[in-house]
Amino acid sequence: MKIVRVNKAGFFAEVHDMDCRRPLTSQEEMEIEDAIARYGVLVFKNQSLRNDEHIAFAIHFGEVEAEPVNTGRTRLTETKLNDISNLNADGSLMKADDRRRMFSLGNRLWHSDSSFKTVPASYSFLFAHVVPPHGGETEFADMRAAWDALPVDQRTRLTKLDAWHSLLYSRELLGFSDFNADERAKYAPVRHPMSRVHPISGRRSLFISSHIGRVEGMLVPEGKELIRDLMESATQREFVHSHSWSVGDLVMWDNRCTMHRGRPFDDQRHPRDLRRVTLVDASYGKTPQPTSIFASTA
């Protein structure tokens, strides 16, 4: 196994000479965990993975989330996979006005996977089965570097602030608010701190996402203004790396210190089939967190 840094900033790296189909040794697990703590994003090139092999590789690094976010999707039978595609169960392309497509457009906003859950995600593993000829890149932003670049007084303030996250918030940013009662209950807002210390590297990161709808203790417009400013600051080009997909790419990233977003492509002409396994952050929750915005008394 050889790890090659992709950019000068020390953010994002490629892993060569690794067959992700076979079980990892404890030494390989340790090397990968050290690398992901250093770089934030790793790309395992030229892989050929069945769904079960994809899941098995991810399980080396933690527990898979109990329920993927596949609202209305039935194409994949594996309950541990998120379907990141524009495909119907029969392989045809989703129509432009398909509710599932409208919902998935939220993936084109900057976010951290599962920040809308009571226990957010640690690692995500996204594997490319089919990619379009143009577009459809995934951009990643380094929230450690973004944090370090903030003024000291702002960092001090942010260590004391929490924000409320929900899928409802991010989808409503795009004008999608067609949620039924069950979905509104399922995606009730949850509260998380706006910065976090990584359990392995010890580095503090900004923890924001398009899933944020309000900041605790602030008027809603003030909180949204703060989030907008932080988003603009954190996604400056110096903090961002764009990954152009090839079939066989397996990308692993750490949601505790990165954000990401998908980029547009002609999804009415070209199929794109990516599948993701997401792990629960076992290091999270040492301080009890309210599970609903309605639990807040502040």
Side-chain angles (χ1 to χ4, degrees), residues 40-151:
V41 187
L42 300 177
V43 184
F44 300 83
K45 303 291 291 182
N46 302 315
Q47 301 300 315
S48 179
L49 296 173
R50 301 190 309 263
N51 289 338
D52 60 325
E53 293 169 333
H54 182 181
I55 295 166
F57 181 80
I59 288 174
H60 282 285
F61 304 97
E63 176 186 354
V64 178
E65 287 185 337
E67 184 177 6
V69 182
N70 283 328
T71 303
R73 294 172 181 259
T74 59
R75 189 174 69 96
L76 302 181
T77 58
E78 292 82 355
T79 58
K80 294 180 179 180
L81 285 175
N82 289 269
D83 185 357
I84 313 298
S85 80
N86 61 334
L87 301 175
N88 294 307
D90 63 1
S92 62
L93 300 180
M94 290 182 185
K95 293 183 178 180
D97 61 352
D98 192 302
R99 185 180 189 273
R100 296 166 298 170
R101 179 178 180 271
M102 294 294 100
F103 192 88
S104 66
L105 288 177
N107 293 330
R108 298 184 185 180
L109 301 175
W110 286 108
H111 64 284
S112 172
D113 286 340
S114 297
S115 75
F116 53 85
K117 295 186 178 183
T118 305
V119 180
S122 57
Y123 306 124
S124 292
F125 302 79
L126 188 59
F127 183 62
H129 290 260
V130 178
V131 299
H134 308 287
E137 301 87 357
T138 300
E139 292 183 335
F140 296 90
D142 187 349
M143 294 296 98
R144 303 162 301 184
W147 174 265
D148 292 342
L150 292 173

Side-chain angles (χ1 to χ4, degrees), residues 6-294:
V6 171
N7 57 31
K8 294 179 180 179
F11 166 57
F12 208 94
E14 291 185 353
V15 181
H16 298 276
D17 303 323
M18 164 67 70
D19 182 353
C20 295
R21 294 173 298 182
R22 63 173 179 77
L24 299 178
T25 66
S26 57
Q27 178 65 27
E28 288 170 330
E29 287 182 8
M30 184 175 65
E31 289 178 7
I32 291 171
E33 287 200 319
D34 286 346
I36 194 72
R38 169 182 288 187
Y39 296 108
V41 187
L42 300 177
V43 184
F44 300 83
K45 303 291 291 182
N46 302 315
Q47 301 300 315
S48 179
L49 296 173
R50 301 190 309 263
N51 289 338
D52 60 325
E53 293 169 333
H54 182 181
I55 295 166
F57 181 80
I59 288 174
H60 282 285
F61 304 97
E63 176 186 354
V64 178
E65 287 185 337
E67 184 177 6
V69 182
N70 283 328
T71 303
R73 294 172 181 259
T74 59
R75 189 174 69 96
L76 302 181
T77 58
E78 292 82 355
T79 58
K80 294 180 179 180
L81 285 175
N82 289 269
D83 185 357
I84 313 298
S85 80
N86 61 334
L87 301 175
N88 294 307
D90 63 1
S92 62
L93 300 180
M94 290 182 185
K95 293 183 178 180
D97 61 352
D98 192 302
R99 185 180 189 273
R100 296 166 298 170
R101 179 178 180 271
M102 294 294 100
F103 192 88
S104 66
L105 288 177
N107 293 330
R108 298 184 185 180
L109 301 175
W110 286 108
H111 64 284
S112 172
D113 286 340
S114 297
S115 75
F116 53 85
K117 295 186 178 183
T118 305
V119 180
S122 57
Y123 306 124
S124 292
F125 302 79
L126 188 59
F127 183 62
H129 290 260
V130 178
V131 299
H134 308 287
E137 301 87 357
T138 300
E139 292 183 335
F140 296 90
D142 187 349
M143 294 296 98
R144 303 162 301 184
W147 174 265
D148 292 342
L150 292 173
V152 173
D153 59 343
Q154 189 171 27
R155 280 183 276 166
T156 300
R157 179 191 182 202
L158 289 170
T159 58
K160 302 174 184 178
L161 290 178
D162 293 345
W164 292 92
H165 299 236
S166 171
L167 267 181
L168 307 179
Y169 291 144
S170 55
R171 273 51 186 175
E172 286 171 352
L173 284 174
L174 298 177
F176 182 91
S177 56
D178 180 22
F179 298 104
N180 59 41
D182 289 343
E183 289 170 335
R184 290 190 178 278
K186 180 178 180 178
Y187 300 126
V190 297
R191 180 177 176 177
H192 297 304
M194 292 185 67
S195 71
R196 300 177 61 186
V197 175
H198 195 278
I200 298 175
S201 70
R203 293 184 65 182
R204 186 173 288 275
S205 299
L206 191 60
F207 190 57
I208 57 173
S209 177
S210 62
H211 301 315
I212 293 176
R214 62 171 280 217
V215 176
E216 182 68 17
M218 298 181 70
L219 297 174
V220 171
E222 292 176 333
K224 288 189 174 183
E225 180 185 33
L226 172 62
I227 297 303
R228 182 183 291 271
D229 287 345
L230 290 172
M231 280 283 186
E232 290 178 355
S233 174
T235 57
Q236 297 176 77
R237 300 319 301 176
E238 63 201 89
F239 305 137
V240 172
H241 181 84
S242 180
H243 177 64
S244 296
W245 289 90
S246 298
V247 171
D249 284 354
L250 175 64
V251 180
M252 174 185 183
W253 67 86
D254 193 333
N255 291 285
R256 297 168 294 191
C257 61
T258 65
M259 280 198 304
H260 64 281
R261 66 174 180 176
R263 303 305 292 143
F265 66 101
D266 190 350
D267 65 348
Q268 296 302 288
R269 292 182 58 198
H270 302 296
R272 182 176 186 260
D273 183 358
L274 275 64
R275 305 173 193 182
R276 191 186 77 226
V277 179
T278 310
L279 303 186
V280 176
D281 181 9
S283 68
Y284 190 79
K286 294 181 180 179
T287 301
Q289 301 288 325
T291 58
S292 168
I293 194 170
F294 306 108

